[in-house]
Amino acid sequence: FWGRGGEIKKFTANEIDIVNASRAIEEGEIKKAHENKVDFSEFEIAYDGIAIVVNKSNDFVDNLTTDDLKKIWEPESKIKKWSDLDPKYPKEDIHLYGPGADSGTFDYFTKVINGKEKAVRPDFTSSENDNVLVQGISGDKYALGYFGYAYYKENESRLKLIGVSSGTEKAIAPTPQNIKDGTYKPLSRPLFLYVNNNSLKQPKVAEFLEYYMKNAATLAPEVGYVALEDKKYSDQIMKIKK
């Protein structure tokens, strides 16, 4: 599944052929790949947004700013109750839910919101299983959490989606269009495949990737992701053939 930081480490250790990633490979991982004589290719396969969600019965929050999110999630956060964020909010403890530290979504969110990857307050409920997060938030009136937009779409009847604004811009909630065009910022990102080039020499691997690129535009929306532009898929098919 998307975003396993541990899986990228296995990839750069030359243990697997293809890895999914919900963030771009990092400099340290590139270095490790080179040290282990792993030559690789990067492929974009879809777009995704990070959804900020609350309990369906939450009637006091519709939008948050990226500054609000930082105040809530930063390592030294002083936000214990909703009213600590805004006096108009209830004087109830804020219960936080988010992906675990091995998740690429966790890496991406902490970097763009808190300014440093993995920098986060420790007192939140974490899980690598987004269904666990959905269950927690949907059963907790004062919960706030985040995960990939795809998981929100699968569970939108159980959750309330929050709009996000950056700076003075108007708050917007993620949609396929604003994820694709990048206006849902900074919480939109591409999803990747990283492929060991030695593995790519095997016909079965090349054929699998070509099949993947030819069908991703149709299949991505079925599971809540957003398809790339057609040209990106065709360009990557040519990259595979070369």
Side-chain angles (χ1 to χ4, degrees), residues 30-91:
I30 293 171
K31 182 180 178 181
K32 185 173 181 180
H34 291 161
E35 288 172 351
N36 286 277
K37 300 185 176 7
V38 176
D39 186 25
F40 64 88
S41 295
E42 177 186 89
F43 297 90
E44 287 189 23
I45 51 103
Y47 298 115
D48 188 27
I50 296 178
I52 309 299
V53 296
V54 295
N55 186 274
K56 197 76 173 178
S57 63
N58 184 314
D59 59 0
F60 55 90
V61 174
D62 295 310
N63 302 303
L64 292 170
T65 67
T66 52
D67 188 52
D68 290 333
L69 292 172
K70 185 175 188 297
K71 288 177 182 177
I72 293 168
W73 286 97
E74 63 188 349
E76 305 301 324
S77 175
K78 306 298 183 187
I79 306 298
K80 303 299 181 184
K81 298 180 181 295
W82 277 102
S83 55
D84 295 333
L85 187 65
D86 189 319
K88 299 192 299 290
Y89 296 160
K91 293 181 179 180

Side-chain angles (χ1 to χ4, degrees), residues 27-231:
E27 286 300 320
E29 292 161 343
I30 293 171
K31 182 180 178 181
K32 185 173 181 180
H34 291 161
E35 288 172 351
N36 286 277
K37 300 185 176 7
V38 176
D39 186 25
F40 64 88
S41 295
E42 177 186 89
F43 297 90
E44 287 189 23
I45 51 103
Y47 298 115
D48 188 27
I50 296 178
I52 309 299
V53 296
V54 295
N55 186 274
K56 197 76 173 178
S57 63
N58 184 314
D59 59 0
F60 55 90
V61 174
D62 295 310
N63 302 303
L64 292 170
T65 67
T66 52
D67 188 52
D68 290 333
L69 292 172
K70 185 175 188 297
K71 288 177 182 177
I72 293 168
W73 286 97
E74 63 188 349
E76 305 301 324
S77 175
K78 306 298 183 187
I79 306 298
K80 303 299 181 184
K81 298 180 181 295
W82 277 102
S83 55
D84 295 333
L85 187 65
D86 189 319
K88 299 192 299 290
Y89 296 160
K91 293 181 179 180
E92 299 286 348
D93 289 346
I94 187 168
H95 304 143
L96 300 175
Y97 295 80
D102 278 343
S103 165
T105 300
F106 172 82
D107 290 346
Y108 186 87
F109 181 86
T110 52
K111 184 173 182 179
V112 299
I113 295 300
N114 292 336
K116 183 179 179 182
E117 199 171 281
K118 301 188 185 300
V120 71
R121 64 191 293 171
D123 57 335
F124 71 100
T125 299
S126 67
S127 177
E128 307 295 350
N129 185 339
D130 289 302
N131 292 318
V132 171
L133 303 179
V134 169
Q135 184 176 357
I137 297 166
S138 65
D140 186 339
K141 182 176 180 179
Y142 298 105
L144 171 76
Y146 70 93
F147 38 71
Y149 177 74
Y151 290 95
Y152 163 73
K153 287 300 293 180
E154 286 181 13
N155 298 278
E156 59 184 325
S157 64
R158 304 169 62 192
L159 301 164
K160 177 180 173 180
L161 187 62
I162 296 298
V164 177
S165 63
S166 179
T168 58
E169 298 170 2
K170 181 180 178 181
I172 60 171
T175 65
Q177 183 56 46
N178 63 36
I179 289 170
K180 186 171 185 174
D181 64 25
T183 54
Y184 179 63
K185 58 183 181 182
L187 296 177
S188 298
R189 65 251 169 112
L191 304 174
F192 300 94
L193 292 181
Y194 289 95
V195 184
N196 187 316
N197 286 344
N198 280 333
S199 302
L200 192 52
K201 295 174 184 177
Q202 302 176 46
K204 62 183 178 182
V205 175
E207 289 168 11
F208 169 77
L209 285 171
E210 189 170 338
Y211 177 87
Y212 202 119
M213 295 302 166
K214 286 180 177 177
N215 291 277
T218 301
L219 298 177
E222 292 185 10
V223 291
Y225 296 117
V226 180
L228 304 177
E229 298 77 5
D230 289 343
K231 187 176 185 304

